[in-house]
Amino acid sequence: MSLLLLLFDLLGTFVFALSGGTLAVRYRLDVFGVLVLSCAAAVSGGLARDVLIGAQPPAALADWRYLAVAMLAGVVTFYRHQAIERMRNPVQVFDGAGLALFAVLGTSKALDYGLSPFAATLLGMLSGIGGGVARDVLVARIPVVLKAELYAVAALAGGGVVALADVFDLPRTPAMAVGALVCFGLRYMAIRHGWHLPAAHLPDDRG
Amino acid sequence: MSLLLLLFDLLGTFVFALSGGTLAVRYRLDVFGVLVLSCAAAVSGGLARDVLIGAQPPAALADWRYLAVAMLAGVVTFYRHQAIERMRNPVQVFDGAGLALFAVLGTSKALDYGLSPFAATLLGMLSGIGGGVARDVLVARIPVVLKAELYAVAALAGGGVVALADVFDLPRTPAMAVGALVCFGLRYMAIRHGWHLPAAHLPDDRG
Amino acid sequence: MSLLLLLFDLLGTFVFALSGGTLAVRYRLDVFGVLVLSCAAAVSGGLARDVLIGAQPPAALADWRYLAVAMLAGVVTFYRHQAIERMRNPVQVFDGAGLALFAVLGTSKALDYGLSPFAATLLGMLSGIGGGVARDVLVARIPVVLKAELYAVAALAGGGVVALADVFDLPRTPAMAVGALVCFGLRYMAIRHGWHLPAAHLPDDRG
């Protein structure tokens, strides 16, 4: 992996970990709980992807830098959570960048392990949203990534670009760049304009 | 796998996915959340089984038809959830059929991967109930499969028939048919007659 | 594995399973739910570890004694939960012993599979706390192991001793004995003296 990609990957890990740490502080967990939620939010998506494609041990365990960065984010959150809460907007932007990167990297890795473009796109999405799902399940709330503005859809779109390029034998690297831009752009616009997917219509008198 | 078995497997997947989609609609998730819960309910049991026995990539990712069928069920639920809620009884019957099939197929696959009959029976049960567990954990409620009428017990019984036949070197296919009938019959009778397992006695003054 | 180690491992499994069964009784699950929570609490940590390091099928499925012991504990809990609740103190002590054993065994196994000392320590911790996490997620509550007195920290310390010994090429067996003592001692003192890690400071007017 190129140095630039690694830096982005670690930055995405850091920002995802911030989201886990912030949630842990809100739920009044102790410093260890903050570290666990930081790590869970940062690496669960990649762990699930790697276990499903048979890439064991997963990258997040084989390379110590991922968990070290996640723990660093946890420590920062523990001591500076109010500052981080105030920076909600920049954090959301970085989170969108992390999502974009995880989605295209996840899709690419799944393709390398021989999965079909369809399955690879789903695994890219899982790489992107798995951390958020694990983080929220651990505090017993419905994962916000299942409800947030086009969150997982943006990941699907980004990974889909990479998978489509693979179908048509186009070069991988520019496809990943385009996919990441598509994912990030979609998520950014959704945050800015409050874009939502529709929910099903329910009669008011439901039980 | 024979065509008939594949058709049943996809039908079971479809019905399990309906249960996930219906729950997502009740919890007012958006259309994407409905799709995720449909897929989670349909394939999580098989994913867990395949990861545990080392059959990677899991069948539900290697064959696109499973997730396609699960997503189709999600779309149907999104637009027709009231009709599906009204069909609760037929859906429960199909769900019992799906459970029976997943339990015997899961046990059979685990035996093929060299697991002991005891472990294979448990993995068959996991194939059958794992989707329901994942679906309910994602909306932060206690899995109903841990409480529903003889749900997991029926799966154990069905898988147990397949495992016992393996112990006594009896042919696999008829054992799977008998196991599926045992599981389905037990579940069907339990629904019809409200059969429950006992809960432990608790003093009324517990904290 | 030596007979003594196996006995300790099964004892730890039994005690972890008691904690799962007791919780299931409190949540009024039926006898099957009690068995599932007993098994989940006893083996989930080891299952997660083995899946992550690629040791499939996991030890808890390859050797029937683990799940048999866990189910036995479930049956005992179902019929004697009040007696077990009264023995809370001895159970906590055994639970600390189980934690210590799982942490050092888990770290050791991860090292054997070629993971780095850093990752192996974390996997040891996961072996120790994973069962408690799965148990609590299944009843939709925040895992107490993320909040209990130095619970996971003790596991980290115990596993860390084993990992450090590996770094310095010291013999494994005495390191595991020391690590287990460190973990157990830390947890025991934390229970006795109510030692807690700090939580982050939150302003009172938070939303």
Side-chain angles (χ1 to χ4, degrees):
Chain A
M1 205 188 301
S2 77
L3 186 64
L4 188 70
L5 211 52
L6 176 68
L7 281 177
F8 269 110
D9 205 14
L10 291 176
L11 184 63
T13 302
F14 187 83
V15 176
F16 275 29
L18 287 185
S19 79
T22 309
L23 190 67
V25 167
R26 273 192 222 144
Y27 275 76
R28 300 184 172 277
L29 299 186
D30 66 27
V31 63
F32 181 81
V34 172
L35 288 178
V36 169
L37 249 71
S38 296
C39 291
V43 305
S44 298
L47 291 185
R49 176 202 60 208
D50 288 353
V51 163
L52 286 171
I53 63 178
Q56 290 136 318
L61 289 174
D63 184 337
W64 62 272
R65 287 174 294 196
Y66 292 99
L67 281 166
V69 160
M71 287 178 185
L72 176 66
V75 171
V76 169
T77 313
F78 187 74
Y79 289 108
R80 291 282 175 271
H81 54 94
Q82 286 176 286
I84 291 165
E85 296 265 17
R86 274 195 300 272
M87 291 195 304
R88 183 181 293 264
N89 286 341
V91 165
Q92 267 199 329
V93 171
F94 283 122
D95 184 78
L99 178 70
L101 199 75
F102 281 26
V104 297
L105 284 174
T107 304
S108 174
K109 184 165 185 180
L111 288 169
D112 289 341
Y113 272 77
L115 276 91
S116 70
F118 175 65
T121 305
L122 291 172
L123 283 164
M125 182 194 77
L126 182 63
S127 310
I129 74 169
V133 170
R135 175 197 68 200
D136 291 358
V137 164
L138 283 176
V139 297
R141 72 171 190 182
I142 301 181
V144 293
V145 294
L146 297 183
K147 301 194 283 188
E149 302 88 352
L150 302 193
Y151 198 91
V153 172
L156 272 184
V161 169
V162 179
L164 270 182
D166 189 73
V167 171
F168 293 109
D169 271 328
L170 298 172
R172 177 75 55 89
T173 309
M176 287 172 68
V178 172
L181 281 176
V182 166
C183 174
F184 179 75
L186 204 51
R187 172 75 182 135
Y188 183 77
M189 294 301 282
I191 294 172
R192 236 188 125 91
H193 300 291
W195 289 348
H196 271 89
L197 289 179
H201 290 285
L202 283 177
D204 280 321
D205 57 334
R206 54 182 276 280
Chain B
M1 204 189 301
S2 75
L3 185 65
L4 188 72
L5 211 53
L6 176 68
L7 282 177
F8 270 110
D9 205 13
L10 291 176
L11 183 64
T13 302
F14 187 83
V15 177
F16 275 29
L18 286 184
S19 79
T22 309
L23 190 67
V25 168
R26 272 191 224 144
Y27 277 76
R28 301 184 172 276
L29 300 185
D30 66 27
V31 62
F32 182 80
V34 172
L35 288 178
V36 169
L37 248 71
S38 295
C39 290
V43 305
S44 298
L47 291 185
R49 176 202 62 208
D50 287 353
V51 163
L52 286 171
I53 64 178
Q56 289 135 319
L61 289 174
D63 184 337
W64 61 273
R65 287 173 295 195
Y66 292 99
L67 282 166
V69 160
M71 287 177 185
L72 176 65
V75 171
V76 169
T77 314
F78 188 74
Y79 288 108
R80 291 282 175 271
H81 53 94
Q82 287 177 286
I84 292 165
E85 296 266 17
R86 275 195 300 271
M87 292 195 302
R88 183 182 295 266
N89 286 341
V91 166
Q92 267 200 330
V93 171
F94 283 121
D95 184 78
L99 179 71
L101 198 76
F102 281 26
V104 297
L105 285 175
T107 303
S108 174
K109 184 165 185 179
L111 288 169
D112 290 341
Y113 273 77
L115 276 91
S116 71
F118 176 64
T121 305
L122 291 171
L123 283 164
M125 183 194 75
L126 182 63
S127 310
I129 73 169
V133 170
R135 175 196 69 201
D136 290 357
V137 164
L138 284 175
V139 297
R141 71 171 191 183
I142 301 181
V144 292
V145 294
L146 297 184
K147 301 193 284 188
E149 302 88 351
L150 302 192
Y151 198 91
V153 172
L156 272 183
V161 168
V162 179
L164 270 181
D166 190 74
V167 171
F168 293 110
D169 271 327
L170 298 172
R172 177 75 55 87
T173 309
M176 287 172 68
V178 172
L181 281 176
V182 165
C183 174
F184 178 75
L186 204 52
R187 173 73 182 137
Y188 183 78
M189 295 301 282
I191 293 171
R192 234 187 126 91
H193 301 289
W195 290 349
H196 271 89
L197 290 178
H201 290 286
L202 283 177
D204 279 322
D205 57 335
R206 53 183 277 277
Chain C
M1 203 188 302
S2 77
L3 185 64
L4 189 70
L5 211 54
L6 176 67
L7 281 177
F8 269 111
D9 205 14
L10 290 176
L11 184 63
T13 301
F14 187 83
V15 177
F16 275 29
L18 286 185
S19 79
T22 309
L23 190 68
V25 168
R26 271 190 225 146
Y27 276 76
R28 300 185 173 276
L29 299 186
D30 65 27
V31 63
F32 182 80
V34 172
L35 288 178
V36 169
L37 248 72
S38 295
C39 290
V43 306
S44 298
L47 290 185
R49 175 202 62 210
D50 287 353
V51 163
L52 286 171
I53 64 178
Q56 289 135 317
L61 289 174
D63 185 337
W64 61 273
R65 288 173 296 196
Y66 292 100
L67 281 167
V69 160
M71 287 178 185
L72 176 65
V75 171
V76 169
T77 314
F78 188 74
Y79 289 107
R80 291 281 175 272
H81 54 95
Q82 287 177 287
I84 292 165
E85 296 266 17
R86 275 194 301 272
M87 292 195 303
R88 182 181 295 266
N89 286 340
V91 166
Q92 267 199 330
V93 171
F94 283 121
D95 183 78
L99 179 70
L101 198 75
F102 282 25
V104 298
L105 285 174
T107 303
S108 174
K109 184 166 185 178
L111 289 169
D112 289 341
Y113 273 77
L115 277 90
S116 70
F118 175 64
T121 305
L122 291 171
L123 283 165
M125 182 194 77
L126 182 63
S127 309
I129 73 169
V133 169
R135 176 196 67 201
D136 291 356
V137 164
L138 283 176
V139 297
R141 71 170 192 184
I142 301 181
V144 293
V145 294
L146 298 184
K147 301 194 284 188
E149 303 87 352
L150 302 192
Y151 198 92
V153 172
L156 273 183
V161 169
V162 179
L164 270 182
D166 189 74
V167 171
F168 293 110
D169 270 327
L170 298 171
R172 177 74 57 88
T173 310
M176 286 172 71
V178 172
L181 281 176
V182 165
C183 174
F184 179 75
L186 204 52
R187 173 73 183 136
Y188 182 78
M189 296 301 282
I191 294 171
R192 233 189 127 91
H193 300 290
W195 289 348
H196 272 90
L197 290 177
H201 290 285
L202 283 177
D204 279 322
D205 57 334
R206 54 184 274 278

